[in-house]
Amino acid sequence: MSNLNSVVEQLLESCTNLRPQMYFKSSLTALSHAMEDLVLNDSDTPLVIASFQRERFYRQEAHRYRRIAHKSKHVYVLAAPETDFSNSSENYETIAFEPTDTLAQEWHLVIIAQQYASCLICREKTIPLTEQKDVSTMDTNRRFEGVWTFDRTVTLKAAEILLNRIAVYRPELTAKINQARQLYFSSPIETSKKLQLDSPLTNPDPFVQRLVTYLQAGQYKLLKANKSLAAKQQKEKLLNSVNDAVRRSLDTKQILKVAVQKLGEGLGVCRCIIYRCYENDSVATVDYEFTSPGIKSVRGMKWQLANNPLFEEAVASTETISVDNTLEDERVNEIIKAKGTGEFFQNLIQNYSLFSLLLVPIFYHGRLLGVMELHHCETKPIAWKPDDVALVDAIATQVGVALIQAEAYADLEDLNEQLEALDRTRSNLVAIVGHELRTPLSTIQVCLESLASEPDMPPELSQVMLDTALSDAERMRNLVQDFLTLSRLEGGGVEWNLETLSISECIDLAISNVKARHQEGGMPQITNLTTPKDLPLVQIDGEWLVEVLAKLLDNACKFTQADGEIAIAVKTNGGKNLEVTVSDTGRGIETNSLETVFDRFYQEEGALRRSAGGTGLGLAICRQIVKNWGGKIWAESPGKDLGSKFHFTIPIKAKSNKSQQSAQTSTKSTTSKKKSNKKKKN
């Protein structure tokens, strides 16, 4: 059977003037022992009813009730059985109630004698989950709510409720229970009236009350100490968890993500954010954020740092800045007066409920790496505790160390990549230079040895030998010249002579130079699609512009069949630049190689297996030249054997009509001289 009626509730309903109080388990133990000692030290034979919740609590006091049983035949002990507790009448009456009965949550002791009466009727309170998490669940910290009194009327009512419950579980005791009612529920004997009111038997309340007060105060101190220790333990656990989490990763993003999540959850704040910034930054972007349920997110927002006294104070002092109430803080009021920043903070306070703020700079050896902020968004501001500030400072220090380690690792990876690239460059250099130098040198050596060993060689054959040697010598000279040119461009050793030029004239000159170099062998048709009247003038070093055009045309000729086509087109690009495009119908470029074709010594077919000659420096030189005048260069290709396009931009120089005519005349004069000089060289 199961009885869910609470004895405490039944008693409070019957005695409406009673007010329950809170007791710790240690206090109830002291009260129970005081009441039991009163029975053991008195000659009276009282009615004793004790309910122990569970068998294990009863076993601790069983010896006392065996002694009490010698004083009275009406001793009743109730408990929920766990091992061997059962209904019995051996020494005294034991009543085993079901664990589902509300008695399993209550603690009762009722004593009724002829000269005195007292009762202790309590129900255990459930400790909230938050306190169970923070406080060690020591047995002495168990709390109860109920009534302790020497009032005979209240005691009789409590005894009546418990005797009824006993009769339910052990109906065979009905006769004995009725006998107890006759003995103890009638009026006290006349002799009890002769006892003084201040007798310890009739009124032990003052001494016991002082004892309970002392025990309660001691228990509260113990509970407070336990809470403090638990809070410190929790903070140490939080700090260790953050340290472990951030040290497991060398990824900056992962470190900050974990730090903001752990800190926000551990301290229970409404919002925790981290943003990377430096001392002189005017704004920063909030990339990492933790928010409690129902709190607005500020992730991705631009955080105002300029004219922000809080940020400036944190950077200057390298210490955490706390604001308990943003509506009353003078520094925040000063920020609100500033243009731009004030509007930003007003928006945070009004729309994002920023009522309390903790600003924590993240430093490492005097270098600011970012800022961590904790926000309280409830309407009632809070005062930041020194322990919380110290904890956040410790976490910020660990985050700073982790960020530096991650950056050092990233730098090391970049350095390794650079070393690998340098090693690849060295290998390519050895392979290409070895091949490009060995071949012409071998040819020159064979030609010269033939001329030296064959004095009677026919003049026609001798001329062929000389022409071949001269051609390969020129090839070697161009190779060395490309090395020197790229070295000067990368080292900043080039003097740029800017002049206002017509792009069409430079294109014509580049085409002439390319045709002169390829006049002996077959070459694809080159078409100039530009219209000089439609194009503005450019401000550029003409010699280097012709160099870029010539190298792009040479590259197109190298990979395009003789029956193919090459075209040059120019268009305006946004009004500030001209975009030049050199397209061909040749071999094309793989999609994954569109960027790498501009690398030094790049060879699509490998250094020693290529079908076209060259050092792989031409496009690298073009990129450096275009980069030096502030332009861009890129390649496009639909794929293998589908042709390719190379684009680069040139800055436009706007001039008046008169100036343009003068510049065009100057350009024609310059290009004519360059053509004349080129013919002399050839």
Side-chain angles (χ1 to χ4, degrees):
M1 67 190 73
S2 176
N3 193 327
L4 300 180
N5 295 326
S6 168
V7 175
V8 176
E9 291 179 358
Q10 288 180 270
L11 183 62
L12 293 177
E13 288 175 2
S14 301
C15 306
T16 56
N17 61 326
L18 293 177
R19 294 293 179 268
Q21 294 182 343
M22 198 274 288
Y23 298 95
F24 287 103
K25 190 235 178 181
S26 58
S27 302
L28 293 185
T29 302
L31 285 172
S32 299
H33 286 176
M35 295 167 65
E36 293 162 358
D37 289 343
L38 184 60
V39 174
L40 293 172
N41 294 326
D42 188 38
S43 59
D44 208 340
T45 57
L47 166 67
V48 180
I49 307 174
S51 179
F52 283 96
Q53 294 183 299
R54 292 174 179 80
E55 178 186 345
R56 59 179 176 273
F57 303 134
Y58 154 75
R59 287 198 297 266
Q60 299 173 8
E61 306 293 333
H63 66 287
R64 295 177 65 87
Y65 281 86
R66 284 194 291 269
R67 293 171 57 197
I68 292 174
H70 293 300
K71 307 283 293 185
S72 174
K73 295 181 179 180
H74 289 280
V75 178
Y76 303 85
V77 176
L78 299 89
E82 293 174 316
T83 55
D84 57 356
F85 189 86
S86 62
N87 294 333
S88 173
S89 302
E90 184 177 353
N91 296 316
Y92 42 83
E93 303 296 343
T94 57
I95 299 91
F97 57 79
E98 295 181 1
T100 55
D101 197 314
T102 53
L103 290 173
Q105 303 298 323
E106 298 182 347
W107 177 320
H108 307 314
L109 178 58
V110 177
I111 299 176
I112 301 176
Q114 296 296 328
Q115 300 184 36
Y116 60 88
S118 64
C119 70
L120 181 61
I121 306 295
C122 291
R123 175 175 50 192
E124 187 166 5
K125 293 189 66 176
T126 302
I127 300 177
L129 292 177
T130 54
E131 294 191 30
Q132 290 181 8
K133 178 181 177 181
D134 296 338
V135 182
S136 176
T137 55
M138 296 171 58
D139 186 60
T140 55
N141 285 340
R142 291 167 54 204
R143 281 170 264 182
F144 293 78
E145 185 180 49
V147 177
W148 167 57
T149 181
F150 284 88
D151 187 298
R152 179 175 286 273
T153 302
V154 176
T155 304
L156 288 173
K157 184 60 182 177
E160 180 66 25
I161 295 171
L162 287 171
L163 287 174
N164 290 338
R165 188 70 59 89
I166 293 170
V168 171
Y169 282 104
R170 293 193 62 185
E172 70 275 13
L173 296 180
T174 302
K176 188 174 182 179
I177 292 173
N178 291 332
Q179 182 184 11
R181 286 192 178 100
Q182 293 176 0
L183 289 174
Y184 301 104
F185 282 56
S186 59
S187 300
I189 59 175
E190 291 296 326
T191 54
S192 64
K193 297 180 180 179
K194 299 179 182 179
L195 295 173
Q196 297 180 1
L197 294 178
D198 58 351
S199 170
L201 292 176
T202 58
N203 190 19
D205 179 68
F207 169 75
V208 179
Q209 185 66 53
R210 286 195 298 270
L211 174 62
V212 171
T213 301
Y214 174 78
L215 291 173
Q216 291 280 83
Q219 195 63 36
Y220 274 115
K221 290 180 180 178
L222 181 61
L223 183 62
K224 185 177 180 181
N226 287 338
K227 284 184 177 180
S228 177
L229 290 174
K232 291 181 179 179
Q233 183 180 11
Q234 181 187 8
K235 290 177 180 178
E236 285 186 14
K237 185 178 180 181
L238 173 60
L239 181 59
N240 292 333
S241 67
V242 172
N243 290 343
D244 293 341
V246 299
R247 290 181 183 276
R248 287 196 193 104
S249 175
L250 289 172
D251 181 6
T252 301
K253 294 181 180 179
Q254 182 66 20
I255 289 171
L256 296 179
K257 181 180 178 182
V258 169
V260 77
Q261 186 74 19
K262 291 284 187 181
L263 186 58
E265 292 176 349
L267 292 182
V269 295
C270 297
R271 184 188 298 115
C272 180
I273 62 174
I274 295 180
Y275 48 87
R276 299 297 303 271
C277 62
Y278 301 100
E279 288 88 343
N280 299 323
D281 287 350
S282 57
V283 294
T285 303
V286 179
D287 293 324
Y288 308 94
E289 178 189 44
F290 163 84
T291 55
S292 297
I295 301 300
K296 280 187 177 181
S297 172
V298 297
R299 187 172 183 179
M301 185 181 292
K302 297 294 183 182
W303 218 251
Q304 296 293 328
L305 304 179
N307 301 320
N308 184 339
L310 297 177
F311 176 73
E312 294 172 357
E313 182 180 348
V315 172
S317 63
T318 68
E319 295 179 353
T320 297
I321 305 300
S322 62
V323 177
D324 295 339
N325 191 339
T326 56
L327 301 177
E328 299 178 357
D329 192 274
E330 295 180 358
R331 296 166 296 184
V332 176
N333 292 332
E334 183 181 348
I335 294 174
I336 293 176
K337 296 177 183 177
K339 186 176 180 181
T341 308
E343 298 173 357
F344 167 75
F345 264 86
Q346 282 184 331
N347 177 51
L348 286 179
I349 295 172
Q350 295 174 3
N351 298 327
Y352 292 90
S353 306
L354 180 58
F355 296 120
S356 299
L357 166 69
L358 200 65
L359 190 150
V360 189
I362 303 173
F363 277 95
Y364 184 80
H365 287 183
R367 174 190 169 194
L368 181 66
L369 302 176
V371 172
M372 181 189 303
E373 290 191 16
L374 277 65
H375 297 169
H376 177 73
C377 302
E378 297 179 4
T379 53
K380 185 178 179 181
I382 63 171
W384 298 101
K385 299 178 181 178
D387 290 344
D388 291 339
V389 175
L391 174 63
V392 176
D393 285 340
I395 292 176
T397 300
Q398 294 301 321
V399 170
V401 172
L403 288 176
I404 289 296
Q405 290 178 342
E407 290 179 0
Y409 180 76
D411 292 342
L412 182 60
E413 283 191 323
D414 291 341
L415 180 59
N416 287 335
E417 290 178 0
Q418 293 175 14
L419 290 174
E420 290 176 0
L422 183 61
D423 186 62
R424 289 193 299 270
T425 300
R426 179 190 61 79
S427 299
N428 289 337
L429 176 63
V430 171
I432 293 170
V433 172
H435 179 79
E436 291 294 329
L437 289 179
R438 183 175 63 248
T439 301
L441 280 174
S442 299
T443 303
I444 293 172
Q445 183 179 5
V446 169
C447 291
L448 293 179
E449 287 178 350
S450 298
L451 290 173
S453 61
E454 298 291 340
D456 298 331
M457 183 181 297
E460 296 82 1
L461 184 57
S462 299
Q463 187 62 42
V464 171
M465 292 291 183
L466 287 173
D467 291 341
T468 302
L470 289 173
S471 176
D472 282 356
E474 178 65 17
R475 179 178 170 184
M476 291 179 60
R477 189 189 70 82
N478 290 335
L479 172 62
V480 175
Q481 183 62 40
D482 282 347
F483 276 115
L484 295 176
T485 299
L486 184 59
S487 177
R488 288 172 58 205
L489 288 169
E490 291 182 341
V494 176
E495 294 184 5
W496 298 90
N497 299 315
L498 300 181
E499 51 186 337
T500 304
L501 302 172
S502 169
I503 184 66
S504 298
E505 296 292 337
C506 295
I507 291 174
D508 290 339
L509 182 56
I511 292 174
S512 298
N513 291 344
V514 172
K515 287 183 177 180
R517 286 196 293 272
H518 295 272
Q519 60 186 356
E520 295 181 359
M523 64 175 293
Q525 181 182 354
I526 301 176
T527 304
N528 184 0
L529 302 178
T530 61
T531 304
K533 295 181 180 179
D534 299 336
L535 298 175
L537 300 178
V538 294
Q539 183 78 13
I540 206 74
D541 187 317
E543 183 178 351
W544 288 108
L545 176 57
V546 172
E547 182 78 7
V548 172
L549 290 167
K551 286 191 176 299
L552 290 177
L553 290 171
D554 276 333
N555 187 73
C557 291
K558 185 188 303 182
F559 296 104
T560 304
Q561 298 294 334
D563 58 351
E565 295 181 359
I566 298 173
I568 300 180
V570 184
K571 66 177 182 179
T572 56
N573 185 2
K576 296 182 179 180
N577 296 287
L578 289 182
E579 182 180 324
V580 182
T581 302
V582 178
S583 59
D584 62 67
T585 59
R587 184 181 298 176
I589 307 170
E590 296 287 353
T591 304
N592 57 359
S593 299
L594 291 175
E595 289 292 333
T596 56
V597 293
F598 294 99
D599 292 344
R600 291 175 295 177
F601 307 116
Y602 174 78
Q603 296 288 348
E604 184 183 10
E605 299 173 303
L608 301 178
R609 297 183 294 105
R610 62 193 189 282
S611 57
T615 61
L617 295 177
L619 293 180
I621 292 173
C622 291
R623 180 173 63 179
Q624 284 297 324
I625 295 173
V626 174
K627 181 180 178 182
N628 282 333
W629 69 47
K632 295 181 180 179
I633 185 169
W634 67 98
E636 294 178 352
S637 177
K640 199 70 172 175
D641 298 325
L642 296 176
S644 60
K645 292 181 180 180
F646 286 85
H647 308 264
F648 68 92
T649 59
I650 311 171
I652 295 173
K653 178 65 174 181
K655 291 287 184 179
S656 62
N657 291 336
K658 183 176 180 180
S659 299
Q660 289 180 359
Q661 292 175 359
S662 175
Q664 288 175 354
T665 303
S666 174
T667 302
K668 290 180 180 179
S669 175
T670 301
T671 53
S672 297
K673 290 179 181 178
K674 291 181 178 179
K675 287 180 180 179
S676 176
N677 293 336
K678 189 67 179 179
K679 289 179 180 179
K680 290 179 180 179
K681 291 180 180 179
N682 292 334

